[in-house]
Structures are given as C-alpha cells and as structure tokens.
Amino acid sequence: MGKKIQDRKLDHLKISLEEDVQFKEKTTGLEGISFKGVDLSYKTLPELDKREIKLEIEFLGKKFKAPLMVEAITGGVKEAIKINKDIAKACEELGVGMGLGSQRPMIEDPKLAETYEVRDVAPNIFLAGNIGVTEVGKHSAKEIEKAIEAVGADALAIHLNAAQAAMQPEKETDFKGRLKEVEKLVKEFKKPVYVKEVGHGIGFETAKELAKTGIKAIDVGGAGGTSWTALDSKRGDKSIGETFWDFGIPTAESVIQCRKAFDGKIIASGGIRTGLDCAKAIALGADICGLALPVLKAQEKGGSKAVKELLEKIIEELRIAMFLTGAKNLKELKGKAIVKN
Ligand SMILES: Cc1cc2nc3c(=O)[nH]c(=O)nc-3n(C[C@H](O)[C@H](O)[C@H](O)COP(=O)(O)O)c2cc1C
C-alpha cells in the first residue's frame, strides 16, 4: 500500500514537471483581458507613496509579511526532502506561508516524516499539514494530530478532490458522509482545520455546507491553473481526461461564491501566477493567495534561490497593483475589483 502511494506521488511530480497540465481554454477569470473577467479599479492619482504600502496580515494566528503561501505540493518520497526544504527556506526568508503535501504516506509509515520536515530551515512560517477528505474517516483525529505535530504544522488542510479522484486509476471515489467526518474532526482537533480544493474550485453550495462544520478557512483551489483532471488522467484514461480537462469553477468565481457563503478566511488559489492576480483575488474577497506549480518548476530550475525570486516578484507586483488602486493596506484593497460580465 505504502509503496503504491509513493509511486503516485512520484508520478505527480514527474507529470506536472514534464507535461502540460494546466487548464487549456478555461481561465481563472482574473486576467480581465476580454469583456469578461476581473479588473482592478485604477486610481490614476493614487495620493500614495508606494514604499509605504503595508502587506502584513495575520492568518490563522500567524503573522505573514505578505498575503501569500506556497500551496501543498509534496512529501512521502525522498525527492520531497529537498523540494520541501528549498521552498520552506524561501518562505521563511520572505515571511510567507507554506503547505505540505498529503501526509497520508507518513500516517501509514511514520518513518516518512523526514520527507516533510522543514522546521529546521523554517522555524517561524505558517505551515499547513495536509490530508485528503477520503482519509479523514479512516484515521482518528489523534492519528492525524500526531502527524501534524510530527512536522510542526500550525493547521491542517483537508483536500477535497472529487474531480481528481474520478480520473485516478485507483478509483478512490467514495465521498459519502465526508461532511460529517470533517465536522467531527474539527470538533476533536486542537489546531485550526481548513479545507482546500486542488484546482477545480469550491462553489456556493459546498462553501455553505462547509461553513457549518466549524472550519476556519476555505482555500478555493479554483480552475485556471493546474488541472488535476488532466494530470491524473495521464496516469489513467487519457480520453476521459480530455473531456474533463477544463472542468470546474474558475478561481475568481469561486472566491466570489465562497465569500458570499462563508465568514471565515479565504485563500485564493488555482492559477495565481502574478501579484496582479493576487491583488484581484484579494479585491474580490480573499484574504491571502497561494500557488503551487510555478513554485515547483522554479525549485526544479534553481532551488531555493529561484523560489525566492519568483515569490519576491509576485510580492512586488502585488505592491504595484495596490499602489495603482490607491490601497495603502490589504483592507483598503477590498472592493477595488471590477467584475466584467
Ligand atoms: C505536483 C503537485 C502535487 C500536489 N499535491 C497536493 C497534495 O498532496 N495535497 C493537496 O492538497 N494539494 C496538492 N496539490 C495541489 C496544489 O496544492 C494546488 O491546489 C493546485 O496545484 C492549484 O494551484 P496551481 O494552479 O498554482 O498549481 C499538488 C500540486 C502539484 C503541482
């Protein structure tokens, strides 16, 4: 069993680095270059000194220097050790958050904990542990908590991945009763729990149901970036994968719908590629933004230094976008989005 999951994790790294696994036609909605999408309201005379713009934010009890996190990518295989440490080091230097990949492999084989270990290089960052929703009922809150504590995580992200699972050759598609399992876990868990999609979005109805479980945040994981129906169908039925390649709720729409349904924190992710994307998502109602695939690619190319450069660029772009809307802090950025239908 353990070996099979590890093979899957390696396939994910290899396929996402070597093949085209991003949405083809569907976009996040954040680009705003056509008549549809999201633009920022340009304050032509901002009456601001760009250097004074404040990006700091508190998120689930941790201080961030900028509203950004690297989303869950990997763990459980030896290749993950360097990837996770390189990413974590860059995040620590910039004061932004990070998510670890699914901890299912280490729950099944605790020796694998070292493949997730980043606290030696990143003692201060917000760090999220990770587990799939279909695993939640199979393991007790205590077991999952132990895995979170072993890596020093501040919170648990539960990933919802029905679209991905439907493509996987492993066919782990029993999603019945999961809402109750999430609710039960949240009650028993000491650390904050939040829920994330992996790239196909969370809509109003699901967000409303999740809101009742007591979760602290929703990471929308919207459509427009990495497509998991594409990625995982490359390990299974490629033809079905083509049909569902662009399936899901675009990130911009998902942020809007989740904000309407849920009072807690919102992470905008799925195709966030620039600081301008991030600014638009925050203007729509998100609190922070996250990205995965570009970070993995940067890490492969140039290690921690390249990851840091990528994140620094995104942070600078966000600052510029705020300058151009006349927002001197993240609170003032809210509501500066123009949604074009
Ligand atoms: C190679 C790879 C592995 C991933 N593994 C996980 C995972 O274990 N758990 C999870 O919640 N999300 C996982 N994700 C999904 C990301 O956290 C993120 O939600 C998704 O890739 C969309 O963001 P992006 O468009 O910026 O890549 C993974 C992404 C990549 C590229």
Side-chain angles (χ1 to χ4, degrees):
M1 184 71 166
K3 178 82 181 101
K4 272 197 201 142
I5 301 170
Q6 290 181 44
D7 287 347
R8 197 191 304 183
K9 297 291 149 197
L10 277 178
D11 284 347
H12 287 162
L13 289 175
K14 194 167 169 323
I15 295 169
S16 63
L17 285 167
E18 289 174 5
E19 295 187 47
D20 187 5
V21 294
Q22 300 206 64
F23 281 74
K24 285 183 193 163
E25 304 290 332
K26 187 177 275 176
T27 64
T28 57
L30 293 168
E31 72 291 341
I33 48 166
S34 64
F35 290 106
K36 286 185 193 291
V38 179
D39 247 336
L40 282 183
S41 151
Y42 178 31
K43 182 92 189 298
T44 316
L45 188 58
E47 289 289 340
L48 264 184
D49 181 340
K50 178 176 157 275
R51 293 164 300 183
E52 289 170 5
I53 288 170
K54 298 260 180 303
L55 298 177
E56 289 84 4
I57 191 168
E58 201 177 299
F59 181 81
L60 302 190
K62 274 265 163 122
K63 288 199 163 53
F64 284 53
K65 285 196 187 137
L68 198 62
M69 73 178 285
V70 174
E71 295 274 308
I73 297 176
T74 195
V77 288
K78 69 175 188 326
E79 289 76 0
I81 298 176
K82 182 165 164 42
I83 297 175
N84 277 332
K85 281 202 205 292
D86 278 355
I87 294 172
K89 189 167 171 282
C91 290
E92 178 76 20
E93 284 167 13
L94 296 173
V96 300
M98 175 181 175
L100 294 168
S102 168
Q103 290 176 267
R104 176 179 170 184
M106 73 169 273
I107 291 175
E108 291 178 7
D109 180 1
K111 284 201 298 293
L112 296 172
E114 63 160 348
T115 64
Y116 300 82
E117 175 52 48
V118 296
R119 279 303 187 201
D120 52 337
V121 295
N124 300 304
I125 58 168
F126 168 79
L127 185 67
N130 190 291
I131 189 90
V133 74
T134 53
E135 293 300 301
V136 170
K138 291 185 201 152
H139 305 283
S140 68
K142 271 214 161 57
E143 268 180 297
I144 301 173
E145 213 145 42
K146 216 170 127 197
I148 294 298
E149 270 156 23
V151 295
D154 300 297
L156 171 70
I158 300 175
H159 65 260
L160 312 181
N161 63 337
Q164 174 191 18
M167 299 297 129
Q168 287 183 331
E170 293 86 3
K171 303 264 180 282
E172 290 167 347
T173 50
D174 182 3
F175 279 69
K176 243 177 17 205
R178 300 301 168 186
L179 210 52
K180 279 258 165 323
E181 299 285 6
V182 170
E183 194 173 354
K184 186 164 169 275
L185 185 77
V186 171
K187 275 207 185 86
E188 293 170 11
F189 225 69
K190 289 189 211 93
K191 300 241 159 100
V193 177
Y194 72 93
V195 162
K196 77 185 279 290
E197 231 288 345
V198 296
H200 300 276
I202 297 178
F204 181 83
E205 196 184 337
T206 301
K208 197 104 201 138
E209 288 165 352
L210 286 168
K212 293 182 203 142
T213 64
I215 52 160
K216 292 282 184 285
I218 292 179
D219 180 338
V220 306
T226 305
S227 164
W228 278 90
T229 46
L231 208 159
D232 255 320
S233 67
K234 288 178 187 287
R235 304 170 44 247
D237 188 324
K238 290 192 180 60
S239 163
I240 292 180
E242 279 294 327
T243 306
F244 287 92
W245 192 292
D246 276 3
F247 182 83
I249 307 163
T251 299
E253 209 175 310
S254 194
V255 169
I256 293 169
Q257 292 187 24
C258 287
R259 186 72 292 164
K260 276 191 195 142
F262 179 68
D263 285 336
K265 300 283 182 193
I266 289 182
I267 306 171
S269 74
I272 298 289
R273 300 292 176 258
T274 67
L276 181 56
D277 288 339
C278 180
K280 289 178 181 179
I282 291 173
L284 286 175
D287 295 282
I288 69 170
C289 296
L291 71 164
L293 188 57
V295 175
L296 177 63
K297 288 186 173 169
Q299 188 281 332
E300 200 210 20
K301 234 175 158 183
S304 193
K305 187 168 170 283
V307 173
K308 189 177 173 195
E309 281 166 7
L310 168 70
L311 298 178
E312 270 173 336
K313 175 178 165 282
I314 291 174
I315 292 167
E316 177 58 10
E317 288 168 344
L318 169 62
R319 197 186 299 279
I320 292 170
M322 288 172 69
F323 174 59
L324 299 179
T325 58
K328 63 176 178 300
N329 55 45
L330 294 164
K331 210 168 148 212
E332 287 188 7
L333 181 57
K334 302 257 183 244
K336 303 273 188 198
I338 301 167
V339 181
K340 300 184 288 182
N341 290 309

